[in-house]
Amino acid sequence: MDRFKNILVSASPGHLEPITLRAAVKLAERNQARLTVIDVMESLPRTGRFATVEGRTVDLQAELTRHREETLRQLTQNMRAGEETEVKVLVGEPFIEVIRHVLDHDNDLVLVGGREVEPWETPEFSSAVMHLLRKCPVPVWVMRPPAADRLRVLALVDPDREDPVRDSLNDLVLELAVSIGRLEGGELHIGHAWELEGESTLRSSPFLGLSGDVVNVMAATTEEVHREQLNALLDRHPLTEVEAEVHLVEGDAGEVLPRLAEGLSVGLIVMGTVARTGISGLIIGNTAETILRLVRCSVLAVKPKGFVTPVKPAKPNARDRR
């Protein structure tokens, strides 16, 4: 976790959850990192932006921005964020302004609060947060209140020897998950899903004529391939410094991995959000999208090296992060 040296905390929008700021301050102190707190307000329509009060014209956008900035500054002081913590209130589309700040100021981590989800509610993240998870070029940590006193971290991996970029993304996921588990004194769980493609058809189709025993062998072979690739990934990451349990589960990843997280009562999922490489314009993998829409805990989402956001920097000469 000491890789993060320039942390950006984004209010979501108009409200900054104390749990998010507290975690950011703690992480910045550990890493001796720069910390910036921002909020983004939508632009007022020009017809409603100015008002006449006692014979003078008042810029309501400027006044609201100034008030919000002072509120954020007071909150950061209450959290002992340090005098060097920078507070900004920007105007525009929230996710776009956050990503532009990342591009223009070389932030290496974005923290944003996620609303606590009741058991009967759909756990979907807000539209603004989903845009960040899809398009932000640096890791995004969406924080929700923990489910247990002791943090349980679930690293979701999908190793593939044929795809070195995706495999390197798995390395990053494990590195971050192990680091967080060690720093927080928590449990580490590692999850990977496998399935025999088209298994139900293979078992039921009268045209294929495959016996159940043959399909069983095919499934067992598929599982073994996934187990070998998972073990190869784990061999690169010593797990001696943290309690770790590996879960190789059968089924569609978008279904079984959220169930695994729910069953383990994990407080944080660490995962990659781009499933495949070599597809121009791909923002987020379908499986990752499904998982993000179903989980109730915090998520730290990372992208592979070389990911390019579709959002352009605000500064004309700003360097694209690649």
Side-chain angles (χ1 to χ4, degrees), residues 241-271:
E241 299 180 11
V242 62
E243 294 180 34
E245 185 175 349
V246 179
H247 306 267
L248 182 61
V249 293
E250 181 181 5
D252 179 79
E255 297 177 4
V256 299
L257 293 179
R259 286 204 298 266
L260 175 65
E262 191 82 12
L264 293 172
S265 297
V266 300
L268 172 67
I269 288 175
V270 185
M271 61 181 289

Side-chain angles (χ1 to χ4, degrees), residues 1-310:
M1 290 295 286
D2 60 357
R3 70 174 61 239
F4 300 126
K5 297 296 185 182
N6 190 3
I7 301 169
L8 179 65
V9 183
S10 172
S12 52
H15 175 68
L16 179 59
E17 294 79 0
I19 184 176
T20 306
L21 183 55
R22 191 177 299 114
V25 170
K26 184 178 179 181
L27 184 58
E29 288 176 347
R30 282 175 172 171
N31 292 0
Q32 296 183 317
R34 179 181 178 184
L35 181 62
T36 304
V37 179
I38 70 169
D39 192 9
V40 184
M41 302 178 62
E42 292 188 8
S43 179
L44 294 177
R46 185 164 183 82
T47 54
R49 176 170 175 173
F50 299 96
T52 302
V53 180
E54 297 180 350
R56 64 187 181 92
T57 300
V58 177
D59 186 337
L60 297 179
Q61 184 83 69
E63 292 300 321
L64 290 172
T65 300
R66 192 158 33 245
H67 172 75
R68 180 58 182 158
E69 186 173 312
E70 183 56 37
T71 301
L72 283 180
R73 186 168 286 108
Q74 185 63 50
L75 181 57
T76 59
Q77 291 173 355
N78 292 343
M79 291 286 178
R80 300 179 181 178
E83 294 182 0
E84 67 280 3
T85 298
E86 190 173 6
V87 174
K88 300 178 181 179
V89 176
L90 308 176
V91 177
E93 180 70 27
F95 84 91
I96 291 178
E97 296 307 320
V98 170
I99 295 175
R100 281 178 172 168
H101 194 284
V102 168
L103 296 171
D104 294 340
H105 297 86
D106 290 320
N107 300 110
D108 50 24
L109 174 67
V110 173
L111 283 88
V112 62
R115 184 177 58 86
E116 184 174 5
V117 182
E118 300 295 342
W120 59 86
E121 290 185 292
T122 301
E124 186 171 336
F125 290 119
S126 70
S127 173
V129 170
M130 287 301 297
H131 275 300
L132 278 179
L133 291 168
R134 294 181 185 118
K135 301 169 186 175
C136 187
V138 301
V140 176
W141 193 332
V142 187
M143 307 206 73
R144 282 173 170 161
D149 293 336
R150 188 184 186 201
L151 180 65
R152 293 191 183 110
V153 181
L154 174 61
L156 299 183
V157 296
D158 188 18
D160 184 352
R161 296 191 192 103
E162 303 301 319
D163 190 339
V165 175
R166 192 166 90 184
D167 224 25
S168 67
L169 182 59
N170 289 309
D171 286 326
L172 177 57
V173 166
L174 271 184
E175 287 170 11
L176 292 175
V178 170
S179 179
I180 294 169
R182 184 179 66 250
L183 287 173
E184 300 294 336
E187 300 174 15
L188 173 62
H189 296 265
I190 301 165
H192 172 56
W194 70 275
E195 62 177 336
L196 174 61
E197 195 69 35
E199 181 174 353
S200 60
T201 300
L202 294 175
R203 293 188 182 279
S204 61
S205 174
F207 303 104
L208 295 175
L210 297 177
S211 68
D213 289 342
V214 169
V215 178
N216 289 341
V217 170
M218 294 171 66
T221 301
T222 301
E223 180 182 12
E224 186 57 29
V225 169
H226 281 263
R227 189 183 305 278
E228 289 176 357
Q229 296 199 100
L230 179 57
N231 287 338
L233 173 64
L234 297 176
D235 286 343
R236 301 198 296 267
H237 298 271
L239 302 176
T240 56
E241 299 180 11
V242 62
E243 294 180 34
E245 185 175 349
V246 179
H247 306 267
L248 182 61
V249 293
E250 181 181 5
D252 179 79
E255 297 177 4
V256 299
L257 293 179
R259 286 204 298 266
L260 175 65
E262 191 82 12
L264 293 172
S265 297
V266 300
L268 172 67
I269 288 175
V270 185
M271 61 181 289
T273 55
V274 175
R276 300 187 186 280
T277 60
I279 303 176
S280 177
L282 179 63
I283 300 301
I284 188 170
N286 290 335
T287 298
E289 180 99 19
T290 300
I291 292 171
L292 288 169
R293 292 187 178 280
L294 293 176
V295 297
R296 298 176 176 275
C297 59
S298 300
V299 172
L300 175 56
V302 298
K303 295 183 179 68
K305 184 178 180 180
F307 174 84
V308 179
T309 176

